Amino acid sequence: MATSSGAGRAALAYLESRKNLAGSACGLAGLALTLAGVAGAYWPLVVAGLYGAGALIAPPERATPPPFGPREELGVLREDFARLRAYLAEEELPAEAGGVLEELLELYGALLEPGWVAEVLAADPEAVHAVARAVRQDVPESVDAYHRTRWWDRLAPGGASPEGHLERQLGLLREEARRVTADLHEVEARRQQTHTAYLEERGGSA
C-alpha cells in the first residue's frame, strides 16, 4: 500500500509538473497539425515527438527556498553573543583593553536586545553582517591572538606590544560599532523627519 500510495503521489506530481504541461501544450500543437492535414499518417509520431520535445525544454522543478527571516538570524546571533561573553568572562585582559572591550560588548548587547532596536537592526542587512562578523570572528580572534602572541613575547621579548595591538583592534571594532549605531540612529531620525513633513503638508492642505 505504501508503494502504491507513493507511486500515486509521484504520478500526480508529474501531471502537475512544468514538463508535463509544456509537453501537453506541444502535443496539442501536434494534434492541430494533424487536423490541418500536415502530419499525415505519421501523426502519432509527430504528437509524441512534440510532447517529448516540450517536456525536455521545460525548466526543471525547483524547491522553494526556506524563508530565513531577520528575527531568526538575530536569535542565532544572540546565542553566539552569549557564548562570546561566557568565553570572555574567563579571559584575563589588560585593564585598558578590558575597558574598551566592555564598552564594545555593551554596544552589541544594546543592539541585540529583543525589542524595537533589534527590529531596526534587522532591517539593515549590512549592519547585521557587521555585528555578526565582529561577534563571531573579530572579537574572539583579537583576544586569542593577544594571548598567543603574549606567550611568544615572553620567550622573545622586545617586539611589538601585544597589549597595544589588542587595544588598537578593540578600539577599531568599537569605532565600527559606533558607526553602525549612528547609521541606525540616522534611519530613525529620517523616519521622524519624514513624519513631521507629512503632518506639516497635511496641515497645510487642510
Side-chain angles (χ1 to χ4, degrees), residues 58-84:
E61 299 289 335
R62 292 187 60 85
T64 303
F68 293 112
R71 293 185 179 180
E72 287 78 7
E73 166 64 17
L74 287 188
V76 176
L77 184 52
R78 287 190 191 100
E79 295 176 0
D80 293 340
F81 180 62
R83 285 195 290 269
L84 174 65

Side-chain angles (χ1 to χ4, degrees), residues 146 149 153 158-167:
Y146 160 73
T149 307
D153 191 59
S161 167
E163 291 79 7
H165 275 294
L166 175 63
E167 187 175 351

Side-chain angles (χ1 to χ4, degrees), residues 103-162:
E103 183 179 350
L104 180 62
L105 295 179
E106 287 179 3
L107 286 171
Y108 293 150
L111 291 173
L112 293 172
E113 182 71 22
W116 66 269
V117 175
E119 292 178 1
V120 176
L121 172 64
D124 189 334
E126 292 186 4
V128 174
H129 174 70
V131 175
R133 180 181 56 196
V135 168
R136 294 167 176 162
Q137 177 181 336
D138 295 332
V139 173
E141 173 65 19
S142 295
V143 174
D144 184 62
Y146 160 73
H147 284 295
R148 291 173 180 268
T149 307
R150 188 184 179 199
W151 186 89
W152 286 106
D153 191 59
R154 291 172 179 171
L155 298 180
S161 167

